[in-house]
C-alpha cells in the first residue's frame, strides 16, 4: 500500500503529523533545582512546556559550532576573546559585594542610576585588560626586519588599518550616521 493509499485508508482522526512535528522517544535526566526553576521560568516566558524549552535550547546549542566556525573560522584567538568578554559581562552584571552592598552590577549599562556607572567602570576596565592581553600591539615598522621601502609600505598599511578599525567601530555603534548613509546609498567608502 502506498503512503497516499495508507493516508486515505486511515480515514477518521487527526491528520498525520509531518516528520518535523513528530516527537521521538522521551529522555530522562536529572538536574539541580535552580536549573529546573530557570528552565520553567524561561518556558513560561516563551509559552512552551519545560520539555519543549529544553529541546529548543539543546537544538540551539548544536547551531553554535557552525556559527562560531562561520564567524571565526578556526580562529581560537577570536573564540577565546569573545568568551572572555562574555564571561566578564555576565560576572560584572551579577556582581554583589557584602562589604560594599548588594546589586553593584546591573545589565542596564546606559541608565542614569549609580549602579550603571559602577557596571560601566568595571566593564571598561575588564575589557581594557582582556583586550590588551588578547591583542598585543602591532610592531613598529622599525621592529619588523623589513627593508626601508617595505617599512614605509607597512607603516601606511598599519595606519590605514588603525583608521579602518576606528571607523568601523564608530559605524557599528551608531557614532557615524554619515558613513552609514553613504554606504546605504551605495557610495564608495574611504575604507
Amino acid at each position: 500500500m502506498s503512503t497516499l493509499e495508507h493516508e486515505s485508508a486511515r480515514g477518521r482522526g487527526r491528520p498525520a503529523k509531518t516528520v518535523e512535528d513528530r516527537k521521538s522517544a522521551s529522555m530522562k535526566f536529572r538536574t539541580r533545582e535552580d536549573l529546573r526553576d530557570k528552565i520553567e521560568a524561561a518556558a513560561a516566558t516563551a509559552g512552551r512546556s519545560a520539555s519543549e524549552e529544553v529541546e529548543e535550547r539543546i537544538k540551539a546549542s548544536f547551531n553554535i559550532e557552525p556559527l562560531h566556525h562561520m564567524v571565526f573560522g578556526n580562529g581560537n584567538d577570536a573564540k577565546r576573546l569573545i568568551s572572555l568578554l562574555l564571561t566578564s559581562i555576565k560576572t560584572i552584571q551579577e556582581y554583589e559585594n557584602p562589604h560594599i552592598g548588594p546589586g553593584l552590577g546591573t545589565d542596564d549599562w546606559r541608565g542614569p542610576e549609580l549602579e550603571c556607572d559602577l557596571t560601566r567602570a568595571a566593564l571598561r576596565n575588564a575589557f581594557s585588560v582582556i583586550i590588551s592581553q588578547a591583542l598585543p600591539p602591532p610592531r613598529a615598522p622599525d621592529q619588523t626586519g623589513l627593508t626601508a621601502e617595505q617599512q614605509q609600505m607597512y607603516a601606511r598599511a598599519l595606519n590605514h588599518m588603525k583608521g579602518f578599525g576606528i571607523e568601523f567601530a564608530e559605524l557599528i555603534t551608531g557614532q557615524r550616521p554619515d558613513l552609514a548613509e553613504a554606504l546605504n546609498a551605495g557610495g564608495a567608502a574611504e575604507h
Side-chain angles (χ1 to χ4, degrees):
M1 181 184 306
S2 74
T3 306
L4 192 53
E5 291 169 335
H6 181 70
E7 295 280 331
S8 62
R10 290 186 52 185
R12 296 182 208 167
R14 289 187 289 189
K17 290 183 177 183
T18 64
V19 174
E20 296 85 29
D21 290 336
R22 290 183 202 145
K23 294 289 181 178
S24 59
S26 65
M27 199 176 208
K28 294 181 181 182
F29 65 96
R30 294 184 181 276
T31 182
R32 303 217 186 291
E33 190 173 335
D34 62 329
L35 179 58
R36 187 190 71 225
D37 293 343
K38 288 178 182 179
I39 291 168
E40 289 172 350
T45 300
R48 298 189 271 250
S49 70
S51 180
E52 290 170 328
E53 184 67 24
V54 169
E55 183 178 5
E56 285 301 312
R57 287 176 179 257
I58 290 172
K59 277 197 308 192
S61 73
F62 286 107
N63 294 332
I64 296 295
E65 262 321 298
L67 179 63
H68 278 204
H69 186 72
M70 181 182 76
V71 174
F72 304 118
N74 291 325
N76 290 326
D77 288 343
K79 288 179 190 176
R80 184 170 182 275
L81 174 61
I82 297 301
S83 178
L84 290 170
L85 293 173
L86 292 175
T87 300
S88 298
I89 291 169
K90 182 180 185 320
T91 303
I92 290 168
Q93 285 179 166
E94 297 173 354
Y95 183 71
E96 296 187 8
N97 186 317
H99 304 293
I100 298 174
L104 292 174
T106 178
D107 60 356
D108 179 10
W109 307 348
R110 295 190 175 270
E113 295 81 17
L114 294 177
E115 294 85 8
C116 301
D117 286 336
L118 299 174
T119 300
R120 286 193 299 269
L123 286 171
R124 290 175 66 89
N125 285 299
F127 291 173
S128 175
V129 170
I130 290 168
I131 290 172
S132 68
Q133 186 273 331
L135 298 171
R139 289 177 285 169
D142 62 351
Q143 296 174 335
T144 59
L146 300 172
T147 66
E149 185 179 334
Q150 291 171 327
Q151 285 182 28
Q152 288 177 345
M153 289 174 39
Y154 172 77
R156 281 196 304 274
L158 188 61
N159 286 331
H160 174 81
M161 291 303 286
K162 287 178 181 178
F164 172 72
I166 291 169
E167 201 170 75
F168 178 74
E170 290 173 342
L171 172 69
I172 64 172
T173 58
Q175 298 175 54
R176 289 289 305 269
D178 58 317
L179 184 56
E181 289 170 14
L183 290 171
N184 287 334
E190 183 179 320
H191 295 286

